[in-house]
Every structure is written in C-alpha cells, then in structure tokens.
Amino acid sequence: MSFFSVRTTHRRTLGLIVAIASLLALTSCKKPETKPEPKPQPLKEVKPPLREPVSFADLPGWSSDNLTEAWPAFLASCSKLKHKAEWNAVCEDAQRIDAVKEQEIRTFFESRFTPFLLRNLDGTETGLATGYYEPFLTGSRTQTERFNTPLHGVPDDLLSIDLASVYPELKGKHLRGRVKGNKVVPYFSREELVPSEKMAEKVLLWVDDPIDAFFLQIQGSGRVQLVDTGEVVRVSFADVNGHPYQSIGKYLVEQGALTLDQASAQGIKNWLAKNPTEKDALLNVNPRYVFFREDAIGNPAQGPLGALAVPITPKRTIAVDPEFIPLGAPVFLATSQPNSERALRQLVMAQDTGGAIKGGVRADFFWGFGKTAGERAGTMKQTAQMWLLLPKPRTPVSVQTKEK
C-alpha cells in the first residue's frame, strides 16, 4: 500500500471519528423532550350507601317497644313475603313464635334480622313522617239534592300499560292513558273529569261533601255510612288517572294564603269554609283523580287493603316509596307524635304506598279509622329516621360423611 493510500485512509478514519464525536456532543447538549404533565382528573363523587348495616343497640327506643303489637302486622306481611326465597325460611319460623311472649318475639327479630340505617339520595339520614287514616263519610246509593258528589269506579276507557316488558328498568311503572284516534294520550285530569257526563255510569256512591270526597282520594280509602240502606261500606283505591299528585296545602302556602303550620287538612278545610267560591279552582290544583271499588268490611278493627294486598294495621303500618324500601319489610321508625316532641319510636311494616311518598327516609304513618285518627294524621309532619330490617342469609349446614 502506498503512502498516499495509508494517509487517505487515516484521514477518512480521523474524519469519521470527529464526526461521531461531534454528533455525540450535540446529542449530549440537546435538552431531553419533556412530556406534558397529565391534567388533574376530577375526583369521582362518592355517594354514601343508601343502607348501612348497624346493630339493634343503635335503634333508639327499640328495647322499649312492645313488639307484640307489631307481630300481627308482621305475620300479615309474611303471608305475601313467604313466597320469596330470601323470606321463606324466616316467615316459616315465625309461625312457631308465641304471639303473646314479647321477649320471644324480640329474640326472633334480633337473631334473624339485620337493621340497616336508611339514607336519602343526598346522604342525609333524616326525612319526613306524615300521617294518613281511614275517613268516615255519609252517603247514599241514589243521588239527591244533599248527596250530590260522586265517588267513581274505574272507567272503561282507562288504559294501564306496564312498561317493564319493554324497558326492564321501569319495573313497577305504569302508564295511564286513553286512546284518541290512533294514539295513546294522557287520561282526563280532575278538572276535566268532575263535570263530565261520561262518568255517570261509573258512579259507585254519592256523598254529601265534595271537600270530604277530595280528602278521601288523598287517603286512598274510607268508610261510608249509607243513609238510604243503613249499610256501612268501604271504598278502596282501585286505580288513578295517572296525573302527578300536587299538594293544595303547599299551593296555599306559596300563594301566601296559609302559613306552613296552618297547611294541615283541618287548616285547608277552614280556609275553604271562608272562601267557598274558590273551592273548585283550589281542588283542581291537584289534577290527580282516584277511582274506587266497593269492599265489604270484614274485621272493623283492621284497615283497608294496602299496596301489599293485606289489611293494614293501625299504628303499625306505614306507606313508603318501594323504590327504596321493599313492600312488606319491617321498618323501625323513630319520629315524634303530631305537633309534639314526644317520641314515637316503634316497629312498623311497609305495607302501603302513596303518590306523595317519595324518597328513602319518608313514611306515611297509618293512624286508623275515625275522627281522632284523622286529627292526628292531618297534623303530622315530623322529622324521622328509619331503619330497614332484612333477614340474615342462612348459613348452609355442611354435612360431613364418615370415611369408610
């Protein structure tokens, strides 16, 4: 190899080394790429549980309640709940409990149930307890000048559509309406129904007071003394026109006609007595209209059939929102007597529902039948806490076989 070739090769090698060194120098001086910092993600809202298991010692007044008074109502619930798998065993065992032995009943509940503190959707633990009752009206089977307010049965053209078959998430929801042409439209409102001649064939009875008839619809059932036949019959909730319930008491408060503490059933009746020309306009504020059926009165000490289809028990039945509380279940209610701070703490059964009863901590307390019950129900608007009692799951018994 010539000197020129060796020198050229050396120069090329030296140039390559310099080029690599320069590249490394540039690379080492270059700032590393910085990735953008991740944006902070908003914290997910953590909602409190709507039911929290507690112990019976956490239930205020549990130890002082006379559970023998609640036992018949619980057995009535079991007549329906026993067909459900989670209730079958506990309802069967309840048949062996001595109904007059309070301690035996208490031990049964404490050993077979878990109490759950109920909360509202916003996480609060207190709610509202109101009251309802079975009113007593005077009526007739024939229309007269005195008995001129009708109680209607279910109209033939009322449609009740169960949407759960198409939309399972709407289980328990029914759409009421009527056919007009080739469409289903909302059913008639109270304002449209009351003067309508189309309902003439669906009159069950006539009563003598339109205001009492209005409050009968709010209560859902009542008894009527028929002066022309001498009978006392019960009219019970059969269906509804599908319009949402609107409180006329709340409306009068919003209009400044009544204060909040005056907006009881009796307060509303007093206002109407002073403003008779406003009667129809006020009652029509509530577009909801209830249709009845006539029932015989079996045991006068029992109330009408509730939503669970069992007779409701005075002072031991409540109406609830079934979206939060399963119908038939025992509930421990801690509230106070109407217009009082005296405690009302006792075990009740969730055996009924109501158009205005919505929410997790919401109860309508059934006071029973008659004037006194009506006075208590009409003035009850108390703060309440509630605990749902659910059966403990049964631990399966393992069977060991002997080795051969």
Side-chain angles (χ1 to χ4, degrees), residues 111-279:
S111 62
R112 301 300 302 276
F113 286 83
T114 299
F116 291 82
L117 173 66
L118 292 175
R119 292 191 178 95
N120 297 302
L121 288 174
D122 62 2
T124 54
E125 298 175 2
T126 59
L128 176 65
T130 53
Y132 71 117
Y133 75 110
E134 190 177 16
F136 187 68
L137 287 74
T138 304
S140 170
R141 290 200 180 276
T142 55
Q143 184 179 13
T144 67
E145 184 178 352
R146 175 187 173 189
F147 299 106
N148 201 32
T149 299
L151 303 181
H152 289 117
V154 180
D156 295 331
D157 60 344
L158 176 67
L159 298 178
S160 180
I161 305 169
D162 185 358
L163 300 176
S165 58
V166 180
Y167 303 102
E169 67 274 16
L170 297 179
K171 183 180 179 181
K173 303 290 185 182
H174 288 79
L175 175 69
R176 267 80 173 189
R178 60 188 175 91
V179 175
K180 185 177 181 180
N182 61 351
K183 295 182 179 180
V184 175
V185 297
Y187 204 72
F188 301 106
S189 68
R190 174 183 299 277
E191 186 174 7
E192 295 168 318
L193 277 170
V194 170
S196 174
E197 293 296 327
K198 69 179 287 299
M199 294 294 291
E201 295 181 358
K202 287 299 176 180
V203 175
L204 294 177
L205 304 170
W206 300 89
V207 296
D208 60 354
D209 191 325
I211 299 170
D212 284 346
F214 176 87
F215 280 98
L216 172 67
Q217 292 198 11
I218 293 177
Q219 301 305 316
S221 63
R223 304 182 195 187
V224 182
Q225 171 73 64
L226 300 177
V227 299
D228 54 343
T229 66
E231 305 168 85
V232 177
V233 299
R234 173 176 279 146
V235 287
S236 302
F237 176 94
D239 215 324
V240 70
N241 65 345
H243 288 259
Y245 170 81
Q246 301 292 337
S247 169
I248 62 173
K250 181 180 178 183
Y251 174 80
L252 287 174
V253 171
E254 291 172 346
Q255 298 302 309
L258 293 178
T259 61
L260 190 59
D261 61 328
Q262 292 172 333
S264 63
Q266 191 56 52
I268 294 170
K269 289 180 179 180
N270 291 340
W271 187 89
L272 284 167
K274 296 175 183 177
N275 301 272
T277 59
E278 302 294 326
K279 173 179 65 68

Side-chain angles (χ1 to χ4, degrees), residues 81-120:
L81 294 177
K82 66 183 180 181
H83 304 294
K84 298 178 179 289
E86 64 272 29
W87 288 90
N88 178 263
V90 74
C91 284
E92 280 191 1
D93 292 347
Q95 301 301 318
R96 294 187 281 274
I97 299 297
D98 192 330
V100 300
K101 293 184 177 179
E102 202 273 341
Q103 187 55 50
E104 190 172 328
I105 296 173
R106 186 175 302 280
T107 301
F108 172 82
F109 279 113
E110 291 179 354
S111 62
R112 301 300 302 276
F113 286 83
T114 299
F116 291 82
L117 173 66
L118 292 175
R119 292 191 178 95
N120 297 302

Side-chain angles (χ1 to χ4, degrees), residues 349-367:
M349 305 299 147
Q351 296 172 331
D352 210 355
T353 60
I357 313 304
K358 301 296 180 185
V361 189
R362 180 71 173 93
D364 209 19
F365 186 86
F366 179 59
W367 281 99

